[in-house]
Amino acid sequence: MNNISHFTIRTSDRRTFRRCLRKWDFQSSLRGNWQHIGTEQNINFWFGSAIHFSMEDYHGENKFGDPRKAFWAYYQAFPADELPMGAEAHYELGMAMLSYYLTWYKRHNDVTGFETALVDPETHQLFDPHKVKKTDNLEYAVEQSFILPLKAWVAVDNNGHIHDAYFSEEDIPDNDKLFNMSIVPIYYHGTMDRIVCDKYGRYWILDYKTAKGADTNKLDTDDQISAYLWAFEKWFGIQPYGFIYLQLTKEAVQEPKRLKNGELSVDKKQKTTYSLLKQEIINDYGTVNAAPDKLIQFLNHMASIESPEGDRFIRWDFVKRTPEQIVSTEEHIMGELHHMLWDDLYCYPTPTRDCIWDCPCRDLCLALDRKDEAAINEFMQNFEQRPRDEDGNLDPWRENIPWPEKLAAEGKTVPELDEILALDECMKIELESRASQDDTDGFKFMYGDEEE
Ligand code: SF4
């Protein structure tokens, strides 16, 4: 008899389903359910997970006291021979990005007053951290997993294969007509990076993204934003106010460049920010107005390419959905699930130029078309089936994190910051931009108390 208690789908499954049926057939928990054995070897996923862990600790229990120390701990959790290619360079990049994040966040968050919400893990009730103190019974609302029952059940045989699907409880056949199959419910699963409460006591979902460049065109149609806003109300029992999409660009911020004669450069290609440049101008000339015209023009240029939501390195966007859009979201989820459970669904490949980087089963895909049994078998040696009853992401590396208390028990401590920072510039940026923390670069929290 199979021991499957439930199936789960996630937004990523839905995206894969729409991207390529063959890839979905390989990965989905409803189908092959295969995952790569061992440490994540895709450097982008590995790095994204590092940034998420650093934020989870910093905005949660804050055991490390600094997200860069948490990042260091994440790196230590992997044996050197299991680190993905490029991990070392990404360590330096991560340290630089987090150093800038600390100054950016302080400056922008002063206006919104976001604090990590508190949650009762038993009841999922949320509490405003501006009013309620953290106790042992409450958790910081970071990495909040939800698992919501969908109106869908499947009949599963002893080998775990799905046969029939039912979208209403009345349609589920009686036991004597199931012929040794069991009925398994389907759930929607996801993890919210952080839930914050603003200075007006309203709850927002905050999600971190690391990418080559910030993308804001997709926010109105982004299905993860819609699904999470839909799920929030069902899981926590209250309406969220909105979604904060915080994008960290994978680039190290640099101090404003200087020419050989020591003057500030007006090179538009330099990777710096308005506030860092302004601070350097004030350091050099006392006030912005006392600076040469070309520098003032360059400063204006830097202001023009930044927006109240952020700069080219970090920005956050505030996104809302109407109640009608939330209803539509549920309709879309159920519609896709209907398609996923078609019993004669033929999972054909959808080759695109992205296959080379976005598909972990590309070699299998090629071998399948060649009908090359030997290559198929060789490929499958590196894959294993995910535990069928998992409720969330399994992160084996978490067991190897050198938490401060774990180190203390061994008579060790977390190294000091200057030991773990790979780049001297990280510290400089943080210290020198601290002087401009009062300067919010014109950022205004657009969602005032009076709205609605
Ligand atoms: S290589 Fe492309 S077409 Fe083949 S399974 Fe992967 S995504 Fe689909």
Side-chain angles (χ1 to χ4, degrees):
M1 199 66 182
N2 76 70
N3 58 359
I4 301 172
S5 60
H6 60 271
F7 285 105
T8 54
I9 61 164
R10 304 183 241 204
T11 309
S12 56
D13 294 321
R14 293 169 54 210
R15 287 181 179 170
T16 307
F17 182 70
R18 299 188 300 253
R19 159 74 180 88
C20 173
L21 290 176
R22 178 176 273 177
K23 180 177 163 190
W24 172 80
D25 185 42
F26 182 74
Q27 292 183 324
S28 167
S29 77
L30 300 174
R31 311 284 284 215
N33 197 32
W34 296 104
Q35 68 175 1
H36 204 282
I37 297 170
T39 301
E40 173 62 66
Q41 286 301 309
N42 181 318
I43 186 67
N44 295 324
F45 292 147
W46 181 89
F47 183 68
S49 151
I51 295 288
H52 277 78
F53 174 71
S54 309
M55 297 296 198
E56 174 191 342
D57 183 67
Y58 183 61
H59 291 295
E61 293 281 339
N62 201 12
K63 288 189 179 176
F64 288 99
D66 188 298
R68 293 165 296 186
K69 289 190 176 183
F71 191 95
W72 166 85
Y74 174 88
Y75 193 89
Q76 305 305 312
F78 297 88
D81 58 352
E82 282 186 23
L83 285 166
M85 259 190 13
E88 209 172 314
H90 277 74
Y91 177 83
E92 294 181 6
L93 176 65
M95 288 297 174
M97 284 168 63
L98 289 170
S99 292
Y100 182 58
Y101 172 76
L102 288 172
T103 73
W104 185 97
Y105 185 73
K106 170 78 180 73
R107 214 153 25 93
H108 283 72
N109 205 57
D110 277 352
V111 189
T112 59
F114 290 137
E115 298 270 345
T116 305
L118 297 168
V119 62
D120 180 332
E122 299 293 323
T123 62
H124 311 157
Q125 190 182 348
L126 289 171
F127 296 90
D128 180 348
H130 302 94
K131 295 183 183 151
V132 175
K133 278 217 155 59
K134 163 95 171 63
T135 61
D136 287 347
N137 298 332
L138 299 179
E139 286 178 357
Y140 291 104
V142 288
E143 288 291 299
Q144 289 293 299
S145 263
F146 60 85
I147 177 149
L148 293 168
L150 296 171
K151 274 197 186 143
W153 297 262
V154 283
V156 180
D157 69 20
N158 288 343
N159 297 317
H161 295 133
I162 293 173
H163 288 259
D164 290 311
Y166 313 99
F167 294 93
S168 127
E169 262 178 299
E170 291 83 64
D171 295 341
I172 299 174
D174 293 333
N175 267 345
D176 56 342
K177 295 196 184 112
L178 276 172
F179 306 109
N180 281 333
M181 286 197 277
S182 47
I183 295 297
V184 176
I186 299 184
Y187 286 79
Y188 201 92
H189 173 254
T191 305
M192 296 173 192
D193 292 342
R194 186 180 169 207
I195 294 159
V196 293
C197 192
D198 67 22
K199 59 187 178 186
Y200 304 116
R202 302 171 309 201
Y203 294 98
W204 299 73
I205 303 167
L206 194 155
D207 208 63
Y208 307 108
K209 296 283 178 227
T210 51
K212 265 193 186 152
D215 178 3
T216 54
N217 294 328
K218 64 183 179 191
L219 299 180
D220 286 343
T221 48
D222 187 280
D223 52 357
Q224 189 200 6
I225 294 177
S226 304
Y228 278 25
L229 287 168
W230 161 78
F232 186 103
E233 192 170 344
K234 291 189 182 294
W235 189 247
F236 294 110
I238 52 170
Q239 267 191 356
Y241 194 76
F243 194 103
I244 305 153
Y245 197 87
L246 197 155
Q247 303 184 75
L248 298 120
T249 305
K250 289 166 76 174
E251 271 190 310
V253 182
Q254 288 164 2
E255 290 176 86
K257 249 174 45 182
R258 286 186 182 271
L259 305 172
K260 277 196 186 130
N261 64 8
E263 277 178 21
L264 285 162
S265 157
V266 293
D267 177 5
K268 287 187 180 171
K269 286 201 213 102
Q270 59 183 300
K271 294 178 177 175
T272 193
T273 71
Y274 167 83
S275 59
L276 288 169
L277 178 65
K278 185 173 163 190
Q279 190 54 49
E280 289 296 294
I281 291 176
I282 291 170
N283 288 346
D284 283 10
Y285 300 97
T287 65
V288 170
N289 285 339
D293 279 354
K294 61 176 183 182
L295 262 183
I296 296 176
Q297 274 168 19
F298 181 48
L299 186 65
N300 286 339
H301 162 77
M302 292 300 291
S304 74
I305 57 170
E306 295 184 8
S307 73
E309 284 76 25
D311 49 48
R312 65 184 274 194
F313 301 98
I314 303 180
R315 64 174 289 139
W316 59 11
D317 290 274
F318 299 81
V319 191
K320 286 171 69 82
R321 296 283 190 263
T322 65
E324 292 77 15
Q325 286 176 301
I326 297 298
V327 171
S328 300
T329 297
E330 183 161 333
E331 289 166 0
H332 302 331
I333 291 169
M334 292 311 294
E336 285 168 37
L337 190 55
H338 271 263
H339 285 189
M340 287 177 183
L341 295 171
W342 271 354
D343 58 0
D344 59 350
L345 183 70
Y346 175 70
C347 291
Y348 53 83
T350 308
T352 71
R353 59 193 293 177
D354 294 329
C355 293
I356 191 79
W357 66 267
D358 83 346
C359 183
C361 53
R362 181 173 173 274
D363 290 344
L364 174 70
C365 180
L366 293 167
L368 282 170
D369 283 351
R370 291 197 310 271
K371 305 202 185 300
D372 181 344
E373 285 300 326
I376 293 170
N377 289 336
E378 196 188 327
F379 177 87
M380 293 308 293
Q381 302 296 315
N382 296 316
F383 283 79
E384 62 185 356
Q385 285 198 301
R386 269 189 217 99
R388 282 284 187 188
D389 56 354
E390 71 163 290
D391 281 350
N393 302 319
L394 293 178
D395 293 329
W397 50 265
R398 282 183 186 266
E399 286 176 17
N400 302 329
I401 292 286
W403 294 104
E405 64 267 26
K406 203 163 144 186
L407 290 175
E410 297 165 8
K412 299 179 191 159
T413 52
V414 176
E416 291 302 319
L417 257 188
D418 50 1
E419 271 181 66
I420 64 172
L421 283 176
L423 299 173
D424 290 350
E425 294 88 76
C426 297
M427 282 301 284
K428 274 195 196 155
I429 285 169
E430 186 192 359
L431 294 173
E432 289 173 6
S433 57
R434 201 168 268 164
S436 63
Q437 273 169 1
D438 290 341
D439 177 2
T440 57
D441 301 344
F443 179 78
K444 266 198 198 144
F445 192 27
M446 297 301 285
Y447 300 93
D449 201 14
E450 311 74 29
E451 207 204 40
E452 296 187 342

